[in-house]
Amino acid sequence: MNFVASIEDLEALYGTPGAPSLRKVARQMTPLYRKWIMASRLCMLATVGPEGTDDSPRGDDGPVVLEFDPGTLALPDWYGNNRIDSLRNIVRDGRVSLMFLVPGSNNVVRVNGTAKVTADPDLLQRFDKAGKLPRTVIVIKINEIYSQCARALMRSRIWTSGNEADGLPSMGEILAEQTAGEEGGRAYDEEWAPRAAKTMW
């Protein structure tokens, strides 16, 4: 199998991008990009570090990020599994990418930038949910914002194909497989949902 080894060879395969794909890029929030991002309750956060890359879903019950100013976003780090892979990466290499999704829309809005992690008490307080605060907040300086071509979501029919989860292994089954039965299993699955509901924030 031959692999593409140069940018010149790669560009020869794809040709020149159309003007709209280049001109849609903004360097900070605009009124319409702001409207789109503030409608998103789910984004994917991609980071890079010495051990490699990480891509993590981030969700909320309202806008998933807070806008400080047109060039700065804040993303709270709510309760999770404490692996903190994304946060470890950001502390060592601030480059981040985010993909904002809105149910029903085949478009995605992307943000590339640099990030830092803070536990500033005043900032944490801005995300208060009935007395619960995030452990930290990721502060993102925007380098570019642009919309992603809708074809990938159109091909996947992600919003229109219905529930396709029947028959998939549960997380308890996967955990049991990975630990030769020492962790996970049916008890894990039965206990997880009520536990998660209590620690959503």
Side-chain angles (χ1 to χ4, degrees):
M1 183 182 298
N2 295 321
F3 295 99
V4 176
S6 73
I7 297 298
E8 292 76 16
D9 290 345
L10 185 63
E11 291 176 345
L13 289 170
Y14 284 88
T16 303
S21 68
L22 300 175
R23 298 186 67 184
K24 64 186 176 184
V25 178
R27 302 301 172 186
Q28 62 179 20
M29 294 278 267
T30 66
L32 294 183
Y33 275 139
R34 177 179 295 111
K35 184 175 182 179
W36 217 102
I37 288 174
M38 290 303 120
S40 175
R41 302 190 311 271
L42 175 67
C43 74
M44 305 300 166
L45 170 67
T47 62
V48 60
E51 290 83 22
T53 60
D54 183 72
D55 198 0
S56 174
R58 302 295 167 128
D60 217 317
D61 62 350
V64 70
V65 293
L66 171 71
E67 179 186 355
F68 281 175
D69 58 59
T72 313
L73 301 175
L75 175 65
D77 189 66
W78 291 109
Y79 190 91
N81 58 19
N82 294 331
R83 283 183 55 113
I84 60 173
D85 296 317
S86 299
L87 302 180
R88 291 178 197 275
N89 282 350
I90 290 170
V91 167
R92 296 174 293 179
D93 186 330
R95 292 175 294 171
V96 297
S97 293
L98 300 99
M99 297 181 65
F100 293 90
L101 295 92
V102 176
S105 174
N106 285 324
N107 293 297
V108 174
V109 169
R110 300 174 61 167
V111 170
N112 296 324
T114 56
K116 293 184 178 181
V117 178
T118 181
D120 179 83
D122 292 336
L123 180 53
L124 297 182
Q125 196 65 42
R126 294 181 67 174
F127 294 95
D128 178 88
K129 289 187 183 290
K132 295 182 179 180
L133 304 175
R135 301 268 187 90
T136 59
V137 175
I138 301 167
V139 178
I140 301 143
K141 290 292 183 184
I142 297 169
N143 291 338
E144 56 183 5
I145 305 175
Y146 57 93
S147 59
Q148 174 69 39
C149 170
R151 290 182 182 87
L153 271 67
M154 291 170 64
R155 281 191 291 263
S156 71
R157 299 180 295 112
I158 190 68
W159 306 125
T160 60
S161 57
N163 185 349
E164 298 180 1
D166 288 346
L168 290 179
S170 70
M171 294 303 102
E173 290 170 333
I174 291 174
L175 187 55
E177 177 187 63
Q178 292 299 110
T179 63
E182 294 178 5
E183 302 279 357
R186 180 177 296 175
Y188 177 91
D189 288 329
E190 291 174 350
E191 295 167 2
W192 190 87
R195 185 172 71 247
K198 293 179 181 178
T199 57
M200 191 72 71
W201 311 112

